[in-house]
Amino acid sequence: MQLPKYLLILYLLIFPNFAFARVTPEDILNQQQQLYLERVKSYSAQSKETLEQFSLKISQLNKLATDQLSINIDRQSQILDEYLNRQSGRSTPAIDNARYWLTYAHEAVAFQAAKVYVFNLTTPANIKTAILYQINSLESDINLLSSKVIKSQKIIRETVAKQ
Amino acid sequence: MKFKTLILVSVVAVLIGFGIFFLFNKAPSENSLISPKRTFFSFSKPSPTPTPKPTLPPLDANSDLLQETEKLGAPEFSKDFNSLREQVRNVN
């Protein structure tokens, strides 16, 4: 009987397709936003205003930090380019390594700049906790990002010190 | 005949699979999670006019590259975060 074999093939071909419907980071963010908007409906006008105010402040602080780190990265790139020019445009393993870590830091800065922080609301009485949690989360992310920028800086310093 | 049946079954399975995939991932509607009307960006949009980055003096053949890397320094944001936390604690 060939039918069970064909049914098995049919089963294997259909169900793996569900893997295409994977959850993306955007889906998770949208889910968090949806949850936030549903929960904040029952909050007082003052609480909503407080949440909106601190959401904006967190966003502004993220922008401030990523802008400063972006300037730092741009300067590192200029330094590395100038160093490469002085080597008559000939790249070395040290320059390639520096370029790799610079690109890594640069992408991390861009990723952080686009990040959105959504408050995880529980009860109206816990607004401060929710806000503080996101501030701590942002600080942790910025500290991690700073370490990547500093690492790139250190590698470039070691590279140009060889001139 | 067997090979043809196998091909036919495979094609039908793939078509059914895609059909199910698009059914569960249809275009965003009012109640779906991904809806432009319900974006959080209305709360946390950055400034509409991007502030121009400060321009640093350009580097040339006479620049001391090592000194330039030393000038970069280590960015520090702890004061900003502490200030923000203090503001939260002072909220009524």
Side-chain angles (χ1 to χ4, degrees), chain A:
Chain A
M1 191 76 176
Q2 300 293 329
L3 188 60
K5 192 165 72 176
Y6 292 132
L7 284 175
L8 177 65
I9 292 167
L10 194 72
Y11 173 82
L12 289 173
L13 285 172
I14 289 176
F15 281 98
N17 284 326
F18 283 107
F20 293 145
R22 65 186 185 280
V23 176
T24 64
E26 189 185 353
D27 292 334
I28 295 169
L29 177 63
N30 284 324
Q31 204 167 19
Q32 288 173 344
Q33 291 168 0
Q34 183 93 349
L35 196 61
Y36 169 84
L37 289 167
E38 280 169 11
R39 286 181 176 169
V40 86
K41 275 181 201 171
S42 59
Y43 284 36
S44 65
Q46 191 185 358
S47 296
K48 284 181 188 173
E49 196 186 326
T50 302
L51 286 166
E52 195 169 325
Q53 185 189 3
F54 279 100
S55 169
L56 186 61
K57 287 184 180 189
I58 286 170
S59 173
Q60 286 171 341
L61 183 50
N62 188 30
K63 187 176 184 319
L64 174 75
T66 51
D67 280 353
Q68 286 187 25
L69 290 168
S70 181
I71 291 167
N72 188 308
I73 286 287
D74 286 347
R75 195 55 166 177
Q76 287 184 37
S77 178
Q78 288 171 6
I79 292 168
L80 193 60
D81 287 342
E82 178 57 33
Y83 181 75
L84 181 62
N85 281 340
R86 294 182 189 183
Q87 311 305 311
S88 309
R90 282 194 299 270
S91 190
T92 62
I95 292 173
D96 290 340
N97 182 52
R99 183 75 65 194
Y100 171 82
W101 288 106
L102 176 63
T103 306
Y104 178 69
H106 183 260
E107 285 174 359
V109 169
F111 179 79
Q112 179 60 37
K115 207 166 174 184
V116 176
Y117 291 84
V118 182
F119 299 126
N120 184 16
L121 300 176
T122 50
T123 63
N126 282 350
I127 282 178
K128 287 187 185 181
T129 309
I131 296 171
L132 285 170
Y133 181 84
Q134 288 305 330
I135 291 172
N136 293 339
S137 184
L138 172 63
E139 188 177 25
S140 173
D141 291 343
I142 295 296
N143 286 341
L144 181 63
L145 181 62
S146 294
S147 69
K148 291 177 184 176
V149 171
I150 289 167
K151 178 170 183 170
S152 167
Q153 211 170 293
K154 180 174 169 281
I155 291 170
I156 287 176
R157 191 185 307 126
E158 286 167 0
T159 304
V160 302
K162 291 175 188 172
Q163 65 183 345

Side-chain angles (χ1 to χ4, degrees), chain B residues 52-92:
Chain B
K53 286 185 188 176
T55 50
L56 293 164
L59 301 171
D60 55 27
N62 298 322
S63 304
D64 185 338
L65 296 183
L66 194 57
Q67 195 180 40
E68 290 295 330
T69 58
E70 299 291 339
K71 277 186 198 173
L72 288 171
E76 186 59 48
F77 306 105
S78 55
K79 275 186 189 172
D80 302 286
F81 283 102
N82 289 337
S83 167
L84 194 55
R85 273 189 280 263
E86 199 55 42
Q87 289 176 44
V88 176
R89 290 187 191 106
N90 292 337
V91 167
N92 297 324

Side-chain angles (χ1 to χ4, degrees), chain B residues 9-20:
Chain B
V9 165
S10 306
V11 168
V12 169
V14 168
L15 286 173
I16 293 171
F18 273 114
I20 294 170

